[in-house]
């Protein structure tokens, strides 16, 4: 059966409280599975204001209304308003997702801090941020996390290495075309990467004639042909779980009509023969529709 994995990044306090329950209801109604990756520490979304100086950021913002999707209050967290502790204040919601049968994992501790700084930070800083999230995950769920999906697809070499030390089952931190074993600066890391293979709604809406009403048609064209290893689609609780929920429902209907089974990233991983997966270098590079650089599946690496 054709598999399409749904990876849900939950970035904010509002997205956790409002977007996550709506997505759970929709997925259950549609008979679809997914993996929820949670931000587990403080919501400091307001500190993203400094990104206005990043090349390409204002162009992206002009295509999608940040205020409409995130709300004024969220955009003040960490600046004029204290950032709520998501893992503490929303623990019951997080546990209810797991109790509903969905896979859960780590997105980040502090979403803004990781996304804006990890690429240039030290090994010690990186381990501390991951460990804060891992400790809170264990506190909330009573078990160790088995997967991680980096905020904003931002990584550094130590982040990959630390995932190996944590004995994660797999991770989904990169953008690419198919599952692979990552190679960091010539060093193989034994934690399979399941890269996001499809563009996200915020990368597409506002480009050409794409709108929330027709963006699903563009994505369905990209999935019309069956890929060898399936697809990974990343969505956000703040977008598909809120204003873009109707667009996401149309996507789910379309994918099911194409014959896809909508699964968690864990189910996609379990369908792989990991011994035959290729090794690929990981690198930071640009991707159309996003500002700055992000973690990409690089060239195949001879091992």
């Amino acid at each position: 059966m054709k598999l399409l994995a749904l990876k849900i990044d939950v970035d904010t306090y509002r997205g956790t409280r409002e977007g996550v329950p709506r997505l759970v209801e929709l997925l259950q109604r549609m008979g679809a599975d997914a993996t929820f990756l949670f931000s587990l520490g403080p919501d400091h979304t307001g500190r993203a204001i400094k990104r206005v100086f990043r090349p390409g950021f204002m162009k992206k913002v002009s295509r999608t209304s940040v205020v409409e999707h995130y709300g004024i209050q969220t955009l003040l967290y960490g600046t004029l308003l204290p950032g709520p502790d998501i893992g503490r204040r929303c623990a019951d919601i997080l546990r209810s997702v797991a109790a509903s049968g969905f896979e859960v994992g780590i997105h980040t501790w502090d979403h803004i801090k990781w996304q804006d700084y990890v690429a240039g930070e030290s090994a010690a800083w990186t381990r501390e941020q991951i460990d804060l999230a891992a400790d809170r995950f264990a506190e909330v769920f009573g078990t160790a996390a088995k997967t991680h999906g980096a905020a904003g697809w931002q990584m550094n070499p130590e982040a990959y290495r630390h995932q190996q030390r944590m004995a994660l089952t797999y991770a989904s931190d990169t953008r690419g075309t198919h599952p692979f074993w990552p190679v960091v600066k010539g060093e193989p890391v034994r934690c399979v990467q399941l890269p996001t293979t499809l563009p996200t709604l915020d990368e597409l809406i506002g480009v050409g004639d794409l709108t929330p009403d027709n963006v699903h048609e563009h994505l369905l064209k990209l999935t019309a042909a069956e890929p060898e290893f399936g697809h990974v689609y990343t969505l956000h609780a703040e977008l598909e779980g809120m204003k873009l929920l109707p667009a996401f429902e149309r996507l789910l209907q379309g994918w099911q009509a194409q014959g896809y089974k909508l699964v968690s990233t864990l189910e996609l991983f379990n369908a792989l023969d990991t011994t035959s997966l290729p090794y690929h270098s990981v690198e930071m590079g640009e991707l159309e529709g996003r500002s700055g650089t992000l973690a990409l599946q690089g060239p195949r690496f001879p091992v």
Side-chain angles (χ1 to χ4, degrees):
M1 178 174 287
K2 298 191 295 186
L3 301 181
L4 193 151
L6 300 172
K7 180 173 79 75
I8 302 172
D9 290 352
V10 186
D11 298 351
T12 66
Y13 177 58
R14 184 187 182 198
T16 308
R17 289 187 302 112
E18 300 180 28
V20 166
R22 293 174 185 173
L23 286 169
V24 167
E25 188 280 328
L26 173 62
L27 292 167
Q28 289 179 324
R29 176 162 50 85
M30 297 289 294
D33 202 356
T35 296
F36 286 78
L37 301 178
F38 293 111
S39 297
L40 294 152
D43 181 347
H44 287 152
T45 301
R47 296 180 183 177
I49 186 65
K50 56 186 170 293
R51 294 180 191 165
V52 298
F53 301 107
R54 181 184 299 171
F57 180 74
M58 290 308 296
K59 182 178 179 181
K60 176 177 180 291
V61 168
S62 68
R63 294 190 286 102
T64 55
S65 172
V66 173
V67 174
E68 180 182 357
H69 290 296
Y70 288 85
I72 290 293
Q73 188 171 15
T74 297
L75 297 177
L76 296 177
Y77 286 149
T79 54
L80 297 181
L81 295 176
D85 187 321
I86 301 170
R88 284 270 164 82
R89 297 178 65 171
C90 300
D92 288 345
I93 294 174
L94 272 57
R95 284 191 285 264
S96 72
V97 174
S100 296
F102 294 100
E103 182 191 21
V104 293
I106 293 172
H107 191 36
T108 187
W109 172 251
D110 181 327
H111 192 281
I112 299 301
K113 181 179 285 187
W114 181 276
Q115 184 168 348
D116 286 356
Y117 297 112
V118 67
E121 276 291 352
S122 68
W125 183 97
T126 303
R127 291 193 298 270
E128 179 186 38
Q129 290 297 305
I130 294 175
D131 289 345
L132 282 168
D135 290 347
R136 175 59 60 78
F137 185 96
E139 177 185 322
V140 171
F141 295 104
T143 187
K146 291 300 181 183
T147 187
H148 176 277
W153 297 279
Q154 296 297 307
M155 291 287 282
N156 67 24
E158 183 62 20
Y160 295 105
R161 297 183 185 113
H162 201 47
Q163 291 177 345
Q164 179 175 280
R165 297 188 197 101
M166 295 168 68
L168 295 184
T169 303
Y170 70 93
S172 183
D173 308 300
T174 56
R175 302 291 290 266
T177 58
H178 59 272
F180 66 97
W181 293 104
V183 179
V184 181
K185 294 188 173 180
E187 171 192 339
V189 175
R190 298 298 293 176
C191 182
V192 167
Q193 279 286 324
L194 301 185
T196 296
T197 62
L198 295 167
T200 62
L201 292 192
D202 58 323
E203 293 166 0
L204 295 173
I205 292 173
V207 175
D209 61 354
L210 295 179
T211 69
D213 293 328
N214 64 20
V215 68
H216 66 287
E217 297 171 357
H218 176 82
L219 276 164
L220 291 173
K221 290 178 182 177
L222 299 180
T223 56
E226 179 180 358
E228 181 180 0
F229 295 103
H231 275 297
V232 175
Y233 174 71
T234 295
L235 60 140
H236 293 83
E238 294 75 16
L239 301 177
E240 285 92 337
M242 300 178 73
K243 291 284 186 179
L244 298 180
L245 190 68
F248 182 51
E249 183 168 358
R250 288 191 289 272
L251 266 178
L252 297 182
Q253 292 168 343
W255 282 326
Q256 289 177 333
Q258 287 180 336
Y260 283 99
K261 181 182 180 185
L262 302 174
V263 300
S264 65
T265 43
L266 177 61
E267 184 169 344
L268 182 63
F269 171 82
N270 286 336
L272 299 173
D273 175 9
T274 58
T275 62
S276 66
L277 290 180
Y279 287 77
H280 283 257
S281 297
V282 289
E283 56 189 34
M284 299 299 287
E286 295 184 356
L287 193 69
E288 186 175 358
R290 304 209 75 85
S291 62
T293 59
L294 61 163
L296 304 177
Q297 178 178 3
R300 185 159 181 165
F301 192 88
V303 177

